[in-house]
Amino acid sequence: QVQLQESGGGSVQAGGSLRLSCTNSKRTYTPYCMGWFRQAPAGEREGVAHIDRYGSASYRDSVNDRFTVSQDNAKATLYLQMNNLKPEDTAVYYCAAAVDCPGGVMNTICNGANCYNQSPKGLHHFSGWGQGTQVTVSS
């Protein structure tokens, strides 16, 4: 089990950058699939970026080439570097873990706060959600 906590959010102008962090309070690292998600006001939760146990990353199209997901195994910390932020990136950002995510972020489905990755290997549910961190981008 993991218990995750997000940090690093804030308010920036369009074109600015932020780096989000996600730490595992149990201070142990298991090679889960780690995912970043976001939920805009009155919007559905959606996957933003995933990184699997092999270090392979996937991004939703709207953030590709602007966001970079990475992880520091020694620190049991996941990062999301967000550059060239746009007002439509405004949301609460969350991190969560799954046993695997072979389908990539575009095959992650969220029904409310219940998110899972689907692939021919089956369904893998995300868990360990933190409280989220607010990102606000002004034009």
Side-chain angles (χ1 to χ4, degrees):
Q1 286 284 11
V2 294
Q3 184 60 53
L4 304 170
Q5 181 61 57
E6 307 88 349
S7 63
S11 297
V12 298
Q13 291 189 326
S17 297
L18 286 171
R19 188 176 81 156
L20 306 183
S21 298
C22 167
T23 56
N24 180 0
S25 63
K26 296 194 173 183
R27 298 294 181 185
T28 59
Y29 179 74
T30 303
Y32 290 96
C33 166
M34 299 297 296
W36 282 105
F37 297 78
R38 66 186 180 187
Q39 188 164 7
E44 295 293 324
R45 189 166 297 190
E46 61 184 17
V48 175
H50 293 353
I51 186 165
D52 69 14
R53 64 185 70 194
Y54 307 109
S56 177
S58 61
Y59 302 90
R60 70 182 303 107
D61 290 345
S62 61
V63 307
N64 204 16
D65 294 331
R66 298 188 297 122
F67 290 10
T68 302
V69 60
S70 61
Q71 54 192 357
D72 185 330
N73 294 349
K75 296 182 179 179
T77 302
L78 178 74
Y79 300 101
L80 184 68
Q81 178 66 43
M82 305 186 295
N83 297 327
N84 191 21
L85 282 160
K86 302 177 180 181
E88 52 263 41
D89 296 318
T90 295
V92 178
Y93 283 70
Y94 301 89
C95 59
V99 173
D100 204 354
C101 53
V105 68
M106 294 311 294
N107 286 298
T108 288
I109 308 299
C110 293
N111 292 314
N114 180 25
C115 300
Y116 56 92
N117 184 258
Q118 59 181 12
S119 75
K121 294 185 178 181
L123 301 179
H124 297 97
H125 289 265
F126 284 88
S127 63
W129 301 90
Q131 296 298 310
T133 187
Q134 176 71 47
V135 172
T136 303
V137 185
S138 58
S139 58

